[in-house]
Amino acid sequence: MKPDYEEIRGVCCMVVRERGKFFVNYDSGAHGSGVTVKEITEQDFNAVKSGKLTIENIIDKYRFQ
């Protein structure tokens, strides 16, 4: 059985598809804040995968939601 997992890595961030859900995770840079994980849309994941958007574009889109 093939695992339902795919990730696309950036420098200090990544987008992930896992079990039919899509996420971006990144280090917000604030002292002691750790890693932030936000659920994103399949369209955004596919845009990063195809090169239409960067992971940084996705982070900016979801940062304040």
Side-chain angles (χ1 to χ4, degrees):
M1 185 171 152
K2 192 174 182 181
D4 186 16
Y5 182 84
E6 180 178 9
E7 67 182 40
I8 302 167
R9 292 184 168 266
V11 174
C12 61
C13 50
M14 73 172 99
V15 290
V16 176
R17 175 187 55 80
E18 184 173 17
R19 297 184 191 138
K21 292 191 176 192
F22 303 88
F23 304 94
V24 60
N25 68 22
Y26 58 93
D27 183 351
S28 63
H31 179 69
S33 65
V35 175
T36 301
V37 178
K38 301 270 185 158
E39 191 166 354
I40 64 173
T41 66
E42 182 176 5
Q43 287 178 318
D44 288 337
F45 180 86
N46 289 333
V48 171
K49 188 174 178 178
S50 70
K52 291 180 182 175
L53 291 175
T54 66
I55 298 173
E56 290 77 11
N57 295 132
I58 302 302
I59 291 170
D60 289 342
K61 180 177 178 178
Y62 288 92
R63 182 172 303 218
F64 299 109
Q65 290 184 359

